[in-house]
Amino acid sequence: MPGAFDSIRRVKNLIALALVLVTAAAAQAAPPRLEKHGTTQQLIVDGKPFLILGGELGNSSASSAEYMRPHWPRLKAMNLNTVLAPVEWDLVEPTEGKFDWTSVDELLRDARAHDLKLVILWFGAWKNSMSTYVPSWVKRDQKRFPRVQIADGSSMEILSAFSANTRDADVRAFGAFMEYLKRVDGEKNTVLMVQVENEIGMLPIARERGAVADKLHGGAVPAELMRALAARGEKLEPELRERWQKHGRKASGTWAQAFGDDEWGAEVFTAWHYARFVEALVVAGKRHYDIPLFVNVALNRTGRKPGEYPSGGPLPHLLDVWKAGTPTTDMLSPDIYFPNFAQLAARFNRADNVLFIPEANNATNSQGPANAFFSFGELDSLGFSPFSIESLGDAPNALARAYEVLEQLTPLLLETRGRGRTAGFRATIQEDGTLIDSPVKKSMAGIEFTVTFIDPWTPRDKQTIGDHGGLLIQAGEEDFWFAGQGITVTFKGADSGPPLVGIDIAEEGVFDENGVWKPGRRLNGDQTHQGRHIRLPPGQFQIQKVRLYRYR
Ligand code: DGJ
C-alpha cells in the first residue's frame, strides 16, 4: 500500500520539521551562556558560538544617546561586533525604588539598529575604586550608606564594603536591571554579558578601618576561604601560596595569623569582602536573568604595595580569593593598559577562568591589534575590547583592519579554540616597555614553528616590532592558516617523522561573506623566499593558507 506509506512518511516529515523549528526557536530564545569547549569555554548566543570583537565606550558617552548618534555607524565600520557600555545606577534609579530605564532602552535600540551586540557594565557601588555613579540619595546619606574610613578616621568618597544597607540597595538596583533586561532583551539577546561594578579596589590603604572592618579583621578567616585554599593547594597563584606558606599554611586563624599583619595580609581580607559583596549581586542578578556575569580589574605595577594601587580587586595574586568568594561569577577579567600584555593576560587564562579582555589600550597605541591576535590565538580569549573606542579615528585604522581579518577567521577560531590547534605570536614586551625581539617557538602537529618579528625585507629602523603579531590555526594534518602582520615563520620537524619541512602550497586570500575561501596570489617565489618561510609583511593584516610537507 504505497499510499499509506506515503502519508505516514508525510506525517513523520511534518513532525521532524516541527521539531527542527521548535529546537531552532528554543536556541534563538535561550539566554547567552558559557559552555565547555575543549580546555576552554565558548560563549553561546542564539544557540551558536560567538567571539567578541569589541570596544568599550568612554565612561560618559552612553549617558547621551545624542552624543552617541554619530559614533554607532563608525563603530560598525570598524568591524566591531560588540560594544561595551555602562549602565549607571544614578541614571536608572534617580529616586529610591523608582526606576527609569530610558538609558537602557536607548542603548538597546541603537545597538540593534546598527546590528551590534552589547556587553553592559554595571556602574554600581564602585567605579574605579570610587563611588561616583551611585544615586544622590545614596551619596548624600552617609549615615545609611557609610563611607570607607582611613587610618586617621577621615572618610573617602568610597562606599564601605561592610554595609548591609549599601549591599542590599545595590543588589536591589542590579536585580531590577537584570529583571528588566530579561523582559526587554530575553528574546533578542542583544546583551551578551554583564560586568558587575567597575575596577573595584581599595585606595589609599589596603583595607578600610572603622569599628565594623576592624572587628572583622580581628576575627577568624571564614572556613570556606581556608577550605578553598587547601583544595587548590599547589595550584594557588604563587604569591598567595607563598604568603600562606610563610604564615604556616594554617587551616584556621585570624586574617593576620593566616596571611600576615602587613598591607599584603590586609589586602587578602579586602579581596574576600569585595568578592562576597559581588557574590550577592551576581546571585541576585542571575536569579532574574541567567547570563554570563564577570568582574574586571585594574592591574598593579610591580613594586607597588597594596594601598598604592587599587587593592583587593581580582588581581592576579588574588584570583584564588575571588574565585572562593564569588563562585557564581563566571569570569574575572583584566583591563590591560601595561606594555607586558601577554604576561598579564596569561594569568587570567586558567582552567576555571576563561580569558576575556574588557579593556585594553585603544588602537592609537598600535600594539592593540597584535595583542588581539595574540589573545585569541594563544590564550583562547572570548573577546578583546580596547577602551574609548569611539575616540579612535575613522576606519580604516589598524584595529578595523585587524578585526576585518579576525572576523573572517572567527568560524575557524571558534571551532579550534581550546583544542590545542591554535597559537598566537607577538614580541615580548616587559613591564617597563623594553622590547625583547628574539624569535618565539611553538610546536604543533609534530612541527616546530619559529616566528620572528623582525621583517627580513624592511630596514630595521622602519619597523615597529612591538606592533607585529599574528596567529596560527591548524586546520588539518598538514594544513595551517597564518594571519597577522610583521611575522616570518620557519619550520622543522619536532617528532620522529622526517626532519625537514617544506611548503607544498602557500596562498594569500580572503574568506568571502559566506565563509568561502577566495584564494589570491600563489606564493611560491620571493614572497616565501623560494619556499624557505611564510611571511606576513608588516603594515597589512592578512591571511595565508599553507600546506606543509615533510622530507629528509
Ligand atoms: C579604566 C576604567 O575601568 C575605565 O572606566 C576608565 O576610567 C579607564 N580606566 C580610563 O583610562
Side-chain angles (χ1 to χ4, degrees):
M1 289 208 358
F5 283 129
D6 274 356
S7 50
I8 289 169
R9 198 176 313 124
R10 258 200 304 277
V11 171
K12 273 188 175 167
N13 285 345
L14 279 174
I15 293 171
L17 180 64
L19 271 176
V20 168
L21 291 175
V22 167
T23 316
Q28 180 83 22
R33 65 178 194 281
L34 292 173
E35 196 176 272
K36 190 166 165 42
H37 183 81
T39 55
T40 187
Q41 285 184 308
Q42 203 82 289
L43 174 63
I44 306 289
V45 184
D46 295 335
K48 296 191 288 281
F50 193 96
L51 204 64
I52 295 178
L53 303 178
E56 181 167 319
L57 298 180
N59 294 160
S60 308
S61 304
S63 62
S64 162
E66 196 50 41
Y67 179 89
M68 274 305 296
R69 196 187 310 280
H71 291 301
W72 288 106
R74 296 177 55 240
L75 299 178
K76 186 70 188 167
M78 256 189 258
N79 302 310
L80 266 67
N81 59 25
T82 305
V83 173
L84 279 68
V87 164
E88 308 180 20
W89 188 6
D90 59 336
L91 290 184
V92 301
E93 198 184 7
T95 306
E96 187 169 6
K98 293 206 166 56
F99 291 96
D100 175 353
W101 302 117
T102 310
S103 57
V104 178
D105 294 341
E106 288 173 344
L107 258 180
L108 288 171
R109 179 197 65 199
D110 295 341
R112 285 173 188 160
H114 294 88
D115 190 27
L116 284 161
K117 297 287 189 188
L118 290 169
V119 169
I120 296 292
L121 321 171
W122 173 250
F123 282 10
W126 299 292
K127 194 277 175 194
N128 293 43
S129 304
M130 310 303 285
S131 298
T132 47
Y133 282 85
V134 303
S136 282
W137 55 270
V138 176
K139 271 187 191 158
R140 290 167 181 275
D141 193 346
Q142 194 171 348
K143 198 156 183 296
R144 187 171 159 212
F145 304 108
R147 303 287 180 90
V148 160
Q149 241 181 62
I150 55 174
D152 66 7
S154 60
S155 63
M156 310 287 301
E157 199 175 18
I158 304 177
L159 290 170
S160 167
F162 298 99
S163 160
N165 285 344
T166 302
R167 185 199 56 211
D168 295 348
D170 201 357
V171 161
R172 272 195 300 276
F174 184 64
F177 164 64
M178 293 299 282
E179 186 180 29
Y180 184 71
L181 199 56
K182 180 174 184 183
R183 187 142 38 93
V184 294
D185 197 46
E187 293 288 316
K188 292 211 161 82
N189 295 339
T190 305
V191 175
L192 307 176
M193 317 196 280
V194 176
Q195 175 187 294
V196 180
E197 312 291 354
N198 190 82
E199 292 195 350
I200 291 173
M202 178 58 56
L203 276 174
I205 48 176
R207 76 161 182 90
E208 58 172 288
R209 304 294 205 277
V212 184
D214 289 349
K215 183 154 183 263
L216 279 167
H217 185 249
V221 179
E224 52 192 310
L225 175 56
M226 286 319 216
R227 276 197 300 271
L229 299 193
R232 207 156 157 80
E234 291 316 300
K235 284 205 246 139
L236 284 171
E237 294 296 334
E239 301 89 344
L240 186 67
R241 192 178 62 223
E242 278 161 31
R243 176 149 286 272
W244 187 39
Q245 186 77 36
K246 190 171 144 202
H247 293 90
R249 222 180 161 95
K250 294 196 175 55
S252 64
T254 64
W255 290 93
Q257 285 165 350
F259 303 111
D261 200 12
D262 56 2
E263 57 278 271
W264 295 99
E267 193 190 22
V268 178
F269 168 83
T270 300
W272 172 258
H273 286 286
Y274 274 143
R276 296 309 292 159
F277 189 111
V278 163
E279 178 69 2
L281 264 79
V282 170
V283 167
K286 284 195 180 247
R287 199 178 304 128
H288 291 294
Y289 189 30
D290 190 2
I291 62 174
L293 301 182
F294 67 97
V295 181
N296 69 332
V297 62
L299 298 169
N300 56 331
R301 280 186 192 280
T302 310
R304 300 261 168 89
K305 288 184 175 165
E308 294 171 358
Y309 58 83
S311 309
L315 288 150
H317 62 281
L318 296 168
L319 286 174
D320 298 303
V321 180
W322 271 79
K323 283 285 170 191
T326 178
T328 316
T329 293
D330 294 283
M331 301 181 292
L332 304 172
S333 308
D335 295 345
I336 311 183
Y337 291 84
F338 294 140
N340 53 331
F341 177 95
Q343 177 207 350
L344 292 164
R347 296 204 60 177
F348 289 78
N349 176 29
R350 310 192 338 172
D352 61 355
N353 196 69
V354 59
L355 177 66
F356 172 61
I357 298 147
E359 288 181 51
N361 265 345
N362 74 20
T364 46
N365 167 344
S366 49
Q367 286 165 19
N371 290 336
F373 277 89
F374 180 82
S375 59
F376 287 120
E378 187 67 13
L379 300 173
D380 292 328
S381 183
L382 269 192
F384 183 80
S385 166
F387 180 70
S388 192
I389 192 72
E390 76 281 23
S391 68
L392 294 192
D394 279 326
N397 50 41
L399 187 75
R401 287 194 296 261
Y403 274 8
E404 190 182 3
V405 164
L406 287 164
E407 184 188 1
Q408 292 174 47
L409 291 171
T410 291
L412 278 165
L413 279 170
L414 286 169
E415 185 195 326
T416 51
R417 57 191 295 280
R419 303 215 187 274
R421 287 166 53 200
T422 63
F425 309 105
R426 58 149 310 126
T428 303
I429 304 182
Q430 293 175 336
E431 194 182 335
D432 65 1
T434 308
L435 180 83
I436 315 276
D437 57 15
S438 39
V440 299
K441 291 183 191 300
K442 183 91 185 182
S443 290
M444 192 188 289
I447 295 172
E448 183 183 273
F449 298 86
T450 301
V451 181
T452 173
F453 306 97
I454 303 167
D455 186 64
W457 315 122
T458 311
R460 185 67 198 260
D461 59 355
K462 300 251 172 347
Q463 299 192 40
T464 40
I465 291 158
D467 302 356
H468 297 182
L471 59 79
L472 160 67
I473 300 172
Q474 188 196 352
E477 211 177 316
E478 301 177 314
D479 293 333
F480 300 90
W481 300 95
F482 291 87
Q485 66 135 348
I487 60 171
T488 304
V489 191
T490 52
F491 327 92
K492 69 176 189 190
D495 58 13
S496 53
L500 301 176
V501 178
I503 300 170
D504 183 356
I505 298 168
E507 62 193 22
E508 63 185 11
V510 292
F511 286 98
D512 71 10
E513 61 282 4
N514 301 314
V516 177
W517 175 247
K518 299 285 175 197
R521 295 179 301 169
R522 184 63 78 93
L523 310 171
N524 285 351
D526 291 345
Q527 281 66 38
T528 49
H529 197 15
Q530 339 307 325
R532 291 182 183 88
H533 64 213
I534 291 296
R535 172 178 177 245
L536 305 179
Q540 55 179 104
F541 291 94
Q542 65 159 211
I543 307 175
Q544 289 185 20
K545 180 182 178 183
V546 177
R547 175 164 293 165
L548 301 174
Y549 73 103
R550 311 279 294 262
Y551 63 100
R552 290 182 194 282

